Amino acid sequence: MGFLHKGHMTLMERAKQENELVIVSIFVNPLQFGPTEDYETYPRNEVKDVELAKEIGVDIVFIPQVQDMYPNKMKIKLSINERIDQLCGKSRPGHFDGVLTVLAKLFHIVNPTKVYFGLKDAQQVAVVDALIQDLNFPIELVGVPTVREESGLAISSRNVHLSPQEKKEATELYKALNYGRKLVVDGETNPVMIEKEVKNYLKNNTSSKIDYIDILSYPDLKKVDQINQRVILAGALYFEKARIIDNLIFNEQGNLENKFS
Amino acid sequence: MGFLHKGHMTLMERAKQENELVIVSIFVNPLQFGPTEDYETYPRNEVKDVELAKEIGVDIVFIPQVQDMYPNKMKIKLSINERIDQLCGKSRPGHFDGVLTVLAKLFHIVNPTKVYFGLKDAQQVAVVDALIQDLNFPIELVGVPTVREESGLAISSRNVHLSPQEKKEATELYKALNYGRKLVVDGETNPVMIEKEVKNYLKNNTSSKIDYIDILSYPDLKKVDQINQRVILAGALYFEKARIIDNLIFNEQGNLENKFS
C-alpha cells in the first residue's frame, strides 16, 4: 500500500537478490478498509516511494488507480472462512476478503513467480498462503522476517504515533514474546500458561492495554492445547494513539521458523 | 467433464486451429453438483475420451483425480452474485460457485492463453466472462457456437434420454427460438410479446413442459424492457426423461452474435 518504510525496503532488497526482475505494486485498496476505517486518510507518498524503489533497483513500480482495478462493480466475490477468526482478523470483518480480491487481481496482472510478504503481518501471510494453495496459483510465497529497530521494536508506519515514553515501552512487546518463547525452549508446553506469563510481563512493564496475546498453530491459526507443532505467539497492544503488533513463529522446541507450507 | 460428444469435438477442433498447443481437461467436478444431483452417476468414459482427443490432435489431456484438485478442505470461497438468478442458475443454487472454483484452479494449473466454451451453455459462458474480467485473468474467452444435428437440435449428452417422438419434437425448440428472432428482425422490440409467441409455438408443436423461455441482456443476463441491445433468447423444455436447453444470441436487429465482451 506504499508509504514505504524499512520493512518494505527489506522485502524489495530480498526480491532483488533472488530474482531477475522485481515489480512493486503500490495500491491503497479500498476493498480491504471497513466503513469506519482510515481509507481516505491512509498516508500516501508515491513520488518518494518511486525514488526509494529506484534506489534499490526495482525494475517496475505498478501504481494503478482505483478506476483501473475496479472499473465495474464486482460480480465475483473471493472470501476466506478460516485463519481469520483470530488475532487482527476478528476485529476487521471482511478485511481479508478485500485483501484476497486485490491480490488475485494483482497476481493475474503482474504474473509473478514469487511474491514477498512481511511476516510482521503473519496472519496476512497465512491468508495469502491459503489463496495460493487453494486456487493453485503458480506462485511461491516468501515470508520475510520482521525488520526491527536496534531496540527490537518491529518497524511500522504506526510507530510515529507513539510518544517517546510509549516507544520505549513498545520495545517490551518483543521482549515479552521472546520471554514466552524462552519458556518453550525450557520445556513449557502449555499455551495458556505461556500466554498468562507474557501478559503479566506486559502488565508489569508497560502502560499499554493488551488487545491480545495468543498462541496458535501456524499457518492454520487454530487454538492448540499443547505446543507440539509450529506455532505463532502473537501480540497486540493499545497505546494512546497507536496499536502495535508483533509476533514470533517457532517450533515445539522454541526454535524460530520463518519458512512454512 | 468428459464423455465427449460432437459439441466438445468442435471446441477441440477450433482450439487446434487457433493455437500451437491444445490442452483438454476432463474432470467431473463434485463442487458444482448439488446434494440431490447426479454426481455419482454422471457418465464417464476416459479411455474413449482420450482416443477422441488424440484423433483431433489434442496435445495433452489433463485428467486429475478429486484428491488432486481438492487435497484439503477449501478455505477460500469463490462466488458470483450476478448473472445467476435467471435461466438454469435459479434452479441450481451454488452450482456456478463450484464451476468458478474449479475453473480458477484449472486456469492456474494449465495456464492457457485462450479458453473455449460452448455457447449452448450461454449462462456458463457469461459466468466465466465475469470471472476472467473481474479477477483480471490474462485469458481470452472464446464462446463457440452451438453444434447442431441436421434437424437443428442442439447436440447434448442428454439427447439419448429422448424417445424417438420426443427427439422429433425437441427440434421444435430451435425452430421456436428462430421464430422469436425472426419477430425481432421484423421489428418487434417487446420481449414479453416475443416470449409469449415462442411459448405458444412450443405449446402448439410439442408435448413438452416449458421450464422457461426468456429474453435477457447478454452477457449481463438482466431483464430488458425493450430489445435495444444484444440479448439472449433462451429456452428449456422438460420431456419425459430429459430436460433440453437451447439459445440464440442476437443484436437489436435480430442478427446472430457469437462474439461478446
Side-chain angles (χ1 to χ4, degrees):
Chain A
M1 299 212 295
F3 212 72
L4 304 179
H5 58 58
K6 218 177 151 188
H8 302 109
M9 309 290 273
T10 304
L11 296 182
M12 295 190 274
E13 278 163 5
R14 173 85 183 269
K16 189 71 191 167
Q17 281 161 22
E18 299 178 358
N19 299 275
E20 278 175 54
L21 188 93
V22 175
I23 301 180
V24 167
S25 70
I26 297 181
F27 181 60
V28 183
N29 174 33
L31 224 60
Q32 71 192 63
F33 287 81
T36 63
E37 291 180 359
D38 56 344
Y39 170 68
E40 294 297 342
T41 58
Y42 193 88
R44 292 156 169 92
N45 192 340
E46 290 167 6
V47 174
K48 177 115 181 282
D49 288 348
V50 171
E51 268 173 34
L52 290 170
K54 217 175 193 173
E55 274 174 30
I56 287 173
V58 165
D59 298 280
I60 296 173
V61 183
F62 177 54
I63 312 182
Q65 300 302 300
V66 172
Q67 181 61 19
D68 299 326
M69 293 298 282
Y70 303 107
N72 303 301
K73 187 170 155 276
M74 296 281 290
K75 298 168 191 78
I76 303 287
K77 191 174 158 49
L78 263 168
S79 51
I80 177 162
N81 48 38
E82 292 190 30
R83 303 187 177 182
I84 53 158
D85 50 354
Q86 302 285 351
L87 308 181
C88 299
K90 63 188 169 191
S91 57
R92 301 189 75 182
H95 165 69
F96 285 112
D97 293 352
V99 172
L100 288 172
T101 303
V102 79
L103 288 181
K105 291 169 76 73
L106 288 171
F107 288 175
H108 291 145
I109 293 167
V110 173
N111 198 17
T113 48
K114 293 185 188 177
V115 289
Y116 291 78
F117 286 84
L119 279 165
K120 174 151 180 294
D121 293 315
Q123 186 167 26
Q124 175 170 270
V125 174
V127 166
V128 178
D129 171 64
L131 176 67
I132 289 176
Q133 300 299 326
D134 269 9
L135 296 185
N136 303 84
F137 275 92
I139 296 177
E140 184 188 330
L141 171 59
V142 183
V144 178
T146 303
V147 180
R148 302 177 181 286
E149 298 191 354
E150 253 182 76
S151 65
L153 178 65
I155 287 176
S156 162
S157 320
R158 296 194 177 86
N159 292 351
V160 298
H161 300 304
L162 296 168
S163 73
Q165 170 61 20
E166 286 179 333
K167 195 163 176 191
K168 218 166 147 187
E169 287 182 19
T171 64
E172 298 293 340
L173 178 53
Y174 182 54
K175 285 180 201 157
L177 297 178
N178 264 315
Y179 168 56
R181 180 171 77 89
K182 179 71 167 32
L183 296 175
V184 177
V185 172
D186 293 346
E188 180 61 66
T189 60
N190 181 349
V192 177
M193 207 68 153
I194 297 164
E195 288 164 4
K196 207 164 141 188
E197 286 282 329
V198 171
K199 283 180 190 171
N200 280 337
Y201 179 97
L202 288 165
K203 278 174 200 160
N204 293 334
N205 290 282
T206 78
S207 62
S208 69
K209 189 175 154 272
I210 297 172
D211 181 6
Y212 62 75
I213 294 292
D214 278 330
I215 293 182
L216 302 166
S217 64
Y218 193 84
D220 268 338
L221 300 183
K222 289 191 172 150
K223 288 234 177 259
V224 290
D225 293 332
Q226 210 196 340
I227 299 175
N228 54 9
Q229 59 189 295
R230 187 198 306 117
V231 294
I232 184 168
L233 168 54
L237 302 181
Y238 288 108
F239 285 99
E240 191 72 26
K241 288 180 184 150
R243 177 174 168 282
I244 66 162
I245 62 171
D246 202 350
N247 70 77
L248 295 174
I249 296 166
F250 49 84
N251 66 13
E252 60 271 40
Q253 277 95 41
N255 297 323
L256 288 173
E257 285 198 358
N258 285 317
K259 283 210 158 189
F260 62 95
S261 64
Chain B
M1 300 212 296
F3 212 71
L4 304 178
H5 58 57
K6 217 175 151 190
H8 301 111
M9 309 288 275
T10 304
L11 296 182
M12 294 191 274
E13 278 162 6
R14 173 85 182 269
K16 187 71 191 166
Q17 282 161 22
E18 298 178 359
N19 300 275
E20 278 176 53
L21 189 91
V22 176
I23 302 179
V24 166
S25 69
I26 298 181
F27 181 60
V28 183
N29 174 33
L31 225 61
Q32 71 193 61
F33 287 80
T36 64
E37 291 179 0
D38 56 345
Y39 169 68
E40 294 297 341
T41 59
Y42 193 89
R44 292 157 168 93
N45 192 341
E46 290 166 6
V47 174
K48 176 116 182 282
D49 288 348
V50 171
E51 268 172 33
L52 290 169
K54 217 174 191 170
E55 275 175 29
I56 288 173
V58 166
D59 298 279
I60 297 172
V61 182
F62 177 54
I63 312 182
Q65 300 302 298
V66 172
Q67 181 61 21
D68 300 325
M69 294 298 284
Y70 303 108
N72 302 301
K73 188 172 154 275
M74 295 281 291
K75 299 168 191 77
I76 303 287
K77 192 175 156 51
L78 264 167
S79 50
I80 178 160
N81 48 38
E82 292 190 31
R83 303 187 176 183
I84 53 158
D85 50 353
Q86 303 284 351
L87 308 182
C88 299
K90 63 187 167 191
S91 57
R92 300 190 74 182
H95 166 69
F96 284 113
D97 294 351
V99 172
L100 288 172
T101 303
V102 79
L103 288 181
K105 291 169 77 74
L106 288 170
F107 288 174
H108 290 146
I109 293 167
V110 172
N111 198 17
T113 49
K114 293 185 187 176
V115 288
Y116 292 76
F117 286 84
L119 279 166
K120 174 153 179 293
D121 292 314
Q123 185 166 29
Q124 176 171 270
V125 174
V127 165
V128 178
D129 171 64
L131 176 68
I132 289 176
Q133 300 298 327
D134 270 9
L135 295 185
N136 303 84
F137 276 92
I139 296 176
E140 184 188 330
L141 171 59
V142 182
V144 178
T146 302
V147 180
R148 303 178 179 284
E149 298 189 354
E150 253 182 74
S151 66
L153 177 65
I155 287 176
S156 162
S157 319
R158 296 194 178 87
N159 292 351
V160 298
H161 300 305
L162 296 168
S163 72
Q165 170 61 21
E166 285 179 336
K167 196 163 174 189
K168 217 166 149 187
E169 287 182 20
T171 65
E172 300 293 339
L173 178 54
Y174 181 54
K175 286 181 200 154
L177 297 177
N178 265 314
Y179 167 55
R181 180 171 78 88
K182 179 72 168 32
L183 295 175
V184 177
V185 173
D186 293 346
E188 179 61 66
T189 62
N190 181 349
V192 177
M193 208 67 155
I194 297 164
E195 288 165 2
K196 208 164 140 188
E197 286 281 331
V198 171
K199 283 180 190 172
N200 280 338
Y201 179 96
L202 288 164
K203 278 174 202 160
N204 294 335
N205 290 282
T206 78
S207 61
S208 69
K209 189 175 153 271
I210 296 172
D211 181 8
Y212 61 76
I213 294 293
D214 278 331
I215 293 182
L216 302 166
S217 64
Y218 194 84
D220 267 339
L221 299 183
K222 290 192 172 150
K223 289 236 177 256
V224 291
D225 293 333
Q226 210 197 340
I227 298 177
N228 53 10
Q229 59 190 295
R230 186 198 308 115
V231 293
I232 184 169
L233 168 54
L237 303 181
Y238 287 108
F239 286 99
E240 190 71 25
K241 288 179 184 152
R243 178 174 167 281
I244 67 163
I245 62 171
D246 201 349
N247 70 78
L248 295 174
I249 298 167
F250 49 83
N251 67 12
E252 61 271 37
Q253 276 95 41
N255 297 323
L256 288 173
E257 285 199 357
N258 285 317
K259 282 209 159 190
F260 62 94
S261 66

